[in-house]
Amino acid sequence: MHIVVCIKQVPDSAQIRVHPVTNTIMRQGVPTIINPYDLFALEEALKVRDYHGGEVTVLTMGPPMAEDALRKALTYGADRAVLLTDRHFAGSDTLATSFALSQAIAQIGKSFGTPDIVFTGKQTIDGDTAQVGPGIAKRLNLVQLTYVAKIASIDFSARKITVERRSEGGTQVLESKLPCLITMLEGTAAIRRGSLEDALRAARSEIVKWNAAEAGIEDMTKCGLRGSPTVVKRVFAPTPRAEKAAQIDTTEKTVRDVADELVTSIFTHQPALEHELSSSRSA
Ligand SMILES: Cc1cc2nc3c(=O)[nH]c(=O)nc-3n(C[C@H](O)[C@H](O)[C@H](O)COP(=O)(O)OP(=O)(O)OC[C@H]3O[C@@H](n4cnc5c(N)ncnc54)[C@H](O)[C@@H]3O)c2cc1C
């Protein structure tokens, strides 16, 4: 059994700052982390491997420094790491990213065994589009199981998988055939701490590094800026509201007094709301 987990190195959003003049995200000096949903995907993959046997390969497309994210994934227990790096990938939108990753996954299949499951996170915390997983599935003609919180069971002999998918209003239990692509939500399992043995192995491991040609990519017009119809033209912080927030002084007031004052203040600012509420009550 072979599982491929796509991980992306992202800026630590807790420490992201927006440039006060240009309103662009300041990435310099911001520590990077593995996209959190990708860690849950990795944990789920490792759990499956630990139970059923096989191998987990982690894959990232990014600059050479993305190797750090792969080494981190190896310390959690991944068996192999592949870095897809080439200046031709710079400026990739989700279309070009899913193209490059799908080609690399096909190459991983040829080199190390066809994957039974490909994992991605639900979405990243920087680009936030949630398009790359479904994009890879479409290109590789894989069944896609999105917003998965947990793998309930796998029957390899019958080539079947059962997952719990979270949707608005509840959980769906889906059964599907293998191979498939899963986009992973925050999982139900706690992310493991890597063992000392894994940390030592990760430090010594050789990362497989492929440029576009080594990943089997022939059509370079589908990569990077050339293959990207979408360009992020501007990133800006929301303009602060001119109106100052009203404050209610709560000293020596009962909860009821404060609630009354709050409701009065809301209805004073939005009289239509009071009208709507009273007509919905009388209906
Ligand atoms: C603020 C901002 C807004 C953007 N908006 C758009 C937009 O609207 N349209 C557009 O086409 N592009 C957009 N981009 C570019 C986009 O970030 C890149 O195309 C990126 O390569 C993939 O998109 P994502 O980060 O949204 O991934 P998502 O689709 O959110 O990622 C889902 C999963 O795919 C996997 N994955 C994604 N990227 C990689 C990678 N490089 N290596 C390995 N696995 C990966 C991970 O498992 C991840 O959890 C935006 C970028 C930024 C910074």
Side-chain angles (χ1 to χ4, degrees):
M1 206 243 319
H2 187 196
I3 302 177
V4 172
V5 184
C6 299
I7 62 169
K8 185 180 178 190
Q9 190 179 50
V10 293
D12 187 346
S13 68
Q15 300 193 42
I16 276 188
R17 291 164 300 143
V18 176
H19 193 283
V21 178
T22 59
N23 277 335
T24 53
I25 293 172
M26 293 165 69
R27 290 173 191 266
Q28 292 86 349
V30 176
T32 54
I33 54 171
I34 298 177
N35 182 52
Y37 291 112
D38 305 356
L39 278 183
F40 286 112
L42 178 59
E43 177 58 38
E44 206 65 14
L46 293 173
K47 265 183 13 199
V48 174
R49 182 215 47 198
D50 293 348
Y51 191 77
H52 294 277
E55 285 187 326
V56 172
T57 300
V58 280
L59 165 68
T60 195
M61 182 187 94
M65 64 175 268
E67 183 176 332
D68 295 346
L70 292 172
R71 283 211 188 273
K72 185 86 188 158
L74 290 170
T75 68
Y76 285 117
D79 300 284
R80 179 185 302 107
V82 178
L83 171 62
L84 190 59
T85 188
D86 194 309
R87 62 187 174 81
H88 289 105
F89 296 139
S92 296
D93 70 356
T94 55
L95 202 66
T97 302
S98 52
F99 170 72
L101 288 174
S102 62
Q103 296 279 298
I105 292 166
Q107 190 74 318
I108 286 171
K110 283 184 203 153
S111 308
F112 309 113
T114 308
D116 300 285
I117 306 174
V118 175
F119 275 98
T120 69
K122 177 194 73 160
Q123 68 189 71
T124 60
I125 57 167
D126 60 348
D128 246 353
T129 65
Q131 293 172 3
V132 170
I136 296 171
K138 175 76 183 145
R139 289 176 188 282
L140 293 176
N141 207 17
L142 292 173
V143 177
Q144 49 178 304
L145 302 167
T146 54
Y147 298 88
V148 169
K150 185 181 170 187
I151 293 183
S153 66
I154 299 181
D155 182 344
F156 275 103
S157 50
R159 304 292 293 158
K160 275 191 182 155
I161 183 168
T162 308
V163 301
E164 290 184 11
R165 176 184 196 269
R166 217 174 295 147
S167 64
E168 244 175 73
T171 298
Q172 301 167 342
V173 178
L174 302 177
E175 190 184 272
S176 164
K177 58 177 187 167
L178 292 173
C180 68
L181 180 140
I182 291 176
T183 78
M184 191 77 195
L185 287 177
E186 61 278 11
T188 45
I191 290 164
R192 68 190 61 195
R193 286 172 177 275
S195 66
L196 182 62
E197 200 188 341
D198 281 326
L200 293 172
R201 184 181 55 85
R204 285 194 300 260
S205 285
E206 201 160 311
I207 308 277
V208 179
K209 289 179 193 158
W210 285 339
N211 60 23
E214 287 162 336
I217 298 175
E218 288 168 3
D219 188 352
M220 294 308 293
T221 63
K222 291 186 177 166
C223 295
L225 272 180
R226 283 167 80 197
S228 298
T230 312
V231 174
V232 182
K233 289 194 80 172
R234 198 173 147 226
V235 179
F236 60 95
T239 325
R241 291 173 60 166
E243 209 176 317
K244 279 202 170 167
Q247 282 194 354
I248 297 174
D249 183 7
T250 56
T251 41
E252 294 181 21
K253 280 185 189 156
T254 63
V255 173
R256 190 180 187 94
D257 289 342
V258 175
D260 282 347
E261 207 173 315
L262 181 64
V263 170
T264 311
S265 161
I266 291 171
F267 287 160
T268 312
H269 284 88
Q270 299 193 39
L273 196 64
E274 188 173 12
H275 175 71
E276 267 173 40
L277 239 125
S278 51
S279 38
S280 72
R281 275 222 188 110
S282 54

